Amino acid sequence: SQQGEEDPQALSIQEGENATMNCSYKTSINNLQWYRQNSGRGLVHLILIRSNEREKHSGRLRVTLDTSKKSSSLLITASRAADTASYFCATVRSYNTDKLIFGTGTRLQVFP
Amino acid sequence: GAGVSQSPSNKVTEKGKDVELRCDPISGHTALYWYRQSLGQGLEFLIYFQGNSAPDKSGLPSDRFSAERTGGSVSTLTIQRTQQEDSAVYLCASSPGPGFNYGYTFGSGTRLTVV
């Protein structure tokens, strides 16, 4: 079953603009992770944020986590055409710390 | 190896036939996961292996699906009597340990088409 819901389902922006994707989840979590998927194949791990963290940065990526609202956001600054991909959030639940449950994904299109 | 390797990359099979999908995880990774992704959808968890523990099979959709992991390394996902609804991309991932500490490294997947 899906744990997360990403919003929006699809996003189109111009190069240089910022892209913000949101993720909501249902149960308490141990950590939340973001992944990128190009061309419907393998996913690439971007960032992991733990339940006791509120914000994390990695290069042009900024992730926030609000456990009171059960939500997270992924911000990509100064986007590039190469950022075009699907982005998924995934959670490890507090009571089942073994496997990731993925959301439905946001399809990002960055136009040159 | 340097990454997670899956084979075959594409498989077309006739309805009713059995198929085997292979996953070779990163050397030393104790955790191995199988997911499937239908067209335009998110990832659906299938099964999880962690070291020598009994696998978590809670995501397998029917008894036609089974998986094994030999010697704590290579894993094979078997689908018996394939149906058209089994068509999807099957993704394997591995991690150094359980998901509460680590991100996953995914293979490129096997695209299964049942005709």
Side-chain angles (χ1 to χ4, degrees):
Chain A
S1 61
Q2 301 288 358
Q3 158 77 319
E5 295 281 341
E6 278 91 335
D7 170 52
Q9 290 187 327
L11 179 62
S12 295
I13 59 174
Q14 295 292 131
E15 259 189 330
E17 294 181 338
N18 295 340
T20 299
M21 288 159 271
N22 302 296
C23 168
S24 60
Y25 56 90
K26 299 174 184 173
T27 63
S28 61
I29 62 170
N30 176 286
N31 70 62
L32 183 145
Q33 304 180 27
W34 285 90
Y35 288 78
R36 184 184 74 228
Q37 183 180 39
N38 293 87
S39 305
R41 285 302 188 115
L43 284 76
V44 174
H45 178 255
L46 296 176
I47 200 163
L48 181 156
I49 186 166
R50 301 190 187 283
S51 60
N52 61 351
E53 298 176 311
R54 292 298 167 258
E55 188 171 313
K56 214 163 182 183
H57 297 255
S58 176
R60 293 184 296 112
L61 306 181
R62 173 178 168 251
V63 169
T64 61
L65 179 64
D66 187 335
T67 52
S68 67
K69 295 181 179 178
K70 292 186 169 59
S71 68
S72 173
S73 67
L74 171 67
L75 169 67
I76 304 174
T77 60
S79 62
R80 306 167 182 167
D83 295 329
T84 294
S86 291
Y87 292 82
F88 293 88
C89 71
T91 55
V92 176
R93 299 176 185 177
S94 295
Y95 57 85
N96 184 337
T97 56
D98 296 334
K99 58 183 183 279
L100 282 173
I101 304 297
F102 282 81
T104 52
T106 292
R107 173 69 186 167
L108 174 66
Q109 177 81 49
V110 182
F111 292 100
Chain B
V4 177
S5 178
Q6 290 189 247
S7 61
S9 57
N10 289 283
K11 176 73 176 178
V12 180
T13 190
E14 291 180 352
K15 179 181 171 181
K17 294 284 180 70
D18 297 352
V19 294
E20 284 189 351
L21 312 180
R22 177 187 168 103
C23 173
D24 201 341
I26 291 174
S27 178
H29 279 196
T30 60
L32 186 147
Y33 310 83
W34 284 97
Y35 289 81
R36 77 175 174 183
Q37 185 177 30
S38 300
L39 187 62
Q41 302 297 310
L43 275 71
E44 176 188 4
F45 168 76
L46 296 178
I47 189 168
Y48 158 56
F49 297 89
Q50 171 57 46
N52 295 320
S53 302
D56 176 350
K57 304 179 181 180
S58 60
L60 294 179
S62 77
D63 59 8
R64 296 186 297 104
F65 288 72
S66 63
E68 63 176 18
R69 188 179 186 191
T70 54
S73 181
V74 172
S75 177
T76 302
L77 177 69
T78 301
I79 308 173
Q80 296 178 311
R81 304 181 303 281
T82 51
Q83 304 295 313
Q84 288 185 327
E85 61 262 30
D86 299 334
S87 295
V89 176
Y90 288 80
L91 292 160
C92 175
S94 69
S95 66
F100 61 83
N101 272 336
Y102 304 98
Y104 294 6
T105 301
F106 278 85
S108 297
T110 294
R111 185 180 300 278
L112 176 66
T113 304
V114 182
V115 297

